[in-house]
Amino acid sequence: MNINIFPILFCSIIALCCLIQMAESTDAMKSSSAAAGTDAAVHIVYTERPQDEQPEAYHIRTLSNVLGSEEAAKEALIYSYKTAASGFSAKLTPQQVAEISKQPGVLQVVPSRTLQLHSGPGKLH
């Protein structure tokens, strides 16, 4: 059997170059965001249910204790959970996560994740 290896080799080299380019661009994005100080990520902060105030006001007050002002807390607040659980989501740096974890009434702080479900028998991974 006579196999021409040139097309296989050519495709392999192109694929390798694409992978290297993707890795370099990912590294560049990471270093530029670290240099800009944008290492903040969305976290979900689970809290105790407030007894004497509205949940959103309690969430803003808890967040403002870490961020320094009510205005900064309102800007960082993404969503306030009030029905099935008490808590909120906000964009926080690792230092802010450590600090808010120590606040009274904060039960848990977890990174927000997006999960994708498969759709149909041909989409299982």
Side-chain angles (χ1 to χ4, degrees):
M1 178 189 294
N2 188 7
I3 298 175
N4 188 353
I5 196 161
F6 180 73
I8 296 170
L9 184 61
F10 181 74
C11 289
S12 298
I13 291 172
I14 296 296
L16 182 60
C17 289
C18 289
L19 287 173
I20 291 170
Q21 180 65 32
M22 287 170 44
E24 288 173 350
S25 69
T26 300
D27 289 343
M29 286 177 14
K30 285 180 183 176
S31 63
S32 69
S33 71
T38 59
D39 55 348
V42 177
H43 285 77
I44 299 172
V45 180
Y46 293 99
T47 63
E48 295 175 349
R49 287 201 186 279
Q51 298 301 318
D52 300 329
E53 64 185 313
Q54 293 296 317
E56 189 167 349
Y58 175 71
H59 300 153
I60 289 171
R61 184 171 54 81
T62 302
L63 193 52
S64 66
N65 288 339
V66 172
L67 300 182
S69 71
E70 188 175 313
E71 293 78 28
K74 286 180 179 179
E75 285 181 27
L77 185 72
I78 296 171
Y79 190 80
S80 188
Y81 302 96
K82 305 170 210 156
T83 307
S86 179
F88 57 90
S89 58
K91 196 167 188 178
L92 303 169
T93 66
Q95 180 182 359
Q96 291 167 337
V97 169
E99 200 172 323
I100 203 162
S101 297
K102 298 174 189 172
Q103 295 294 309
V106 171
L107 303 174
Q108 184 180 23
V109 181
V110 295
S112 180
R113 298 185 328 160
T114 302
L115 301 175
Q116 186 172 6
L117 300 175
H118 66 83
S119 58
K123 301 290 183 178
L124 294 176
H125 296 279

